[in-house]
Amino acid sequence: MTTPDHQPPPPDASRPESPDRIYRSSAGIAGGVLLLAIMGWLGIDALVSGHGRTPWLALATMILLVPLVTAFTLRPAVYANEERLRVRNPFRVVVLPWTTIATLRSGYSNEAVTADGTRYQLWAIPVSLRSRKRAAKRQSRGATADSSGRVSPAAPARAQTDRAMDDLRELAEAHPHVEGTQDTVSVRWAYEVIGPAVAGAVVLAILLAVG
């Protein structure tokens, strides 16, 4: 990593922002839609046909659970363009200019790591060990043997989430982290998710407390 002897010029405000590449989990979206459909069916049935406190308990439970299910399944997304990485996680939106990212790490989860060691998990790009095993099997089946019996390996096969991380690493390498840059990480809490969930929890707790 090299350190320049001068500060980089300020970004050109007149230059339009490049279009985003969007990464989301199709399995998470499908699971979220299914859960919301089940919750809606059970909740509406309780509201319509329930007696006593049942409709109120059902309403409070839905106010609590619908934002949480949405936050963990439908909401997560990663937006990447030439200027920055924007990570929309369940309860936060994090904007990371590429120059603030030291590395993009893949382990049991995919993370963006800044120079000071702060890690931001990419919820929309989950690690799938099963997908990695399937990709490895496809690669092994694609290996070919010549007339002398020598095996030629197939082209490397990559799981979908690993390919997404490869794309992000290419963008990061094109805009490497430079010491002394003035770009900052922006973090915004998702109060549109937290607020309704807290309200639902409070109402549910009151209903259960009063018996």
Side-chain angles (χ1 to χ4, degrees):
M1 183 181 299
T2 60
T3 302
D5 55 4
H6 64 279
Q7 292 292 335
D12 184 1
S14 63
R15 185 181 64 180
E17 190 175 80
S18 60
D20 284 326
R21 304 181 190 179
I22 304 174
Y23 303 88
R24 305 186 73 179
S25 171
S26 56
I29 293 173
V33 169
L34 178 61
L35 286 175
L36 290 174
I38 294 173
M39 289 170 52
W41 172 50
L42 295 175
I44 292 173
D45 180 68
L47 288 172
V48 172
S49 60
H51 301 284
R53 294 190 309 144
T54 300
W56 293 104
L57 288 171
L59 181 61
T61 302
M62 291 178 66
I63 294 174
L64 167 63
L65 293 183
V66 168
L68 294 179
V69 171
T70 302
F72 284 96
T73 58
L74 305 183
R75 176 181 168 81
V78 171
Y79 303 86
N81 62 24
E82 297 296 329
E83 288 78 32
R84 52 94 182 115
L85 181 69
R86 183 162 67 94
V87 182
R88 193 173 70 188
N89 282 341
F91 300 117
R92 295 192 300 180
V93 176
V94 183
V95 179
L96 301 123
W98 289 115
T99 52
T100 66
I101 298 176
T103 185
L104 289 163
R105 181 185 302 166
S106 295
Y108 291 105
S109 64
N110 290 314
E111 300 171 330
V113 185
T114 60
D116 62 2
T118 304
R119 298 181 297 177
Y120 298 98
Q121 187 173 349
L122 309 182
W123 278 81
I125 311 178
V127 170
S128 174
L129 299 180
R130 180 178 299 179
S131 296
R132 286 179 178 175
K133 289 180 180 179
R134 285 201 297 263
K137 288 181 180 179
R138 288 197 303 269
Q139 182 175 348
S140 63
R141 287 197 297 266
T144 58
D146 57 21
S147 57
S148 63
R150 185 169 51 191
V151 177
S152 299
R158 301 280 283 169
Q160 182 177 359
T161 55
D162 290 333
R163 293 198 300 270
M165 291 299 291
D166 291 341
D167 291 343
L168 296 181
R169 289 190 182 99
E170 288 181 4
L171 284 171
E173 289 170 1
H175 305 81
H177 170 74
V178 179
E179 296 291 345
T181 55
Q182 297 180 357
D183 291 330
T184 58
V185 176
S186 170
V187 178
R188 181 183 69 82
W189 288 96
Y191 294 107
E192 65 275 15
V193 173
I194 299 171
V198 171
V202 171
V203 173
L204 183 61
I206 293 174
L207 290 172
L208 293 175
V210 299

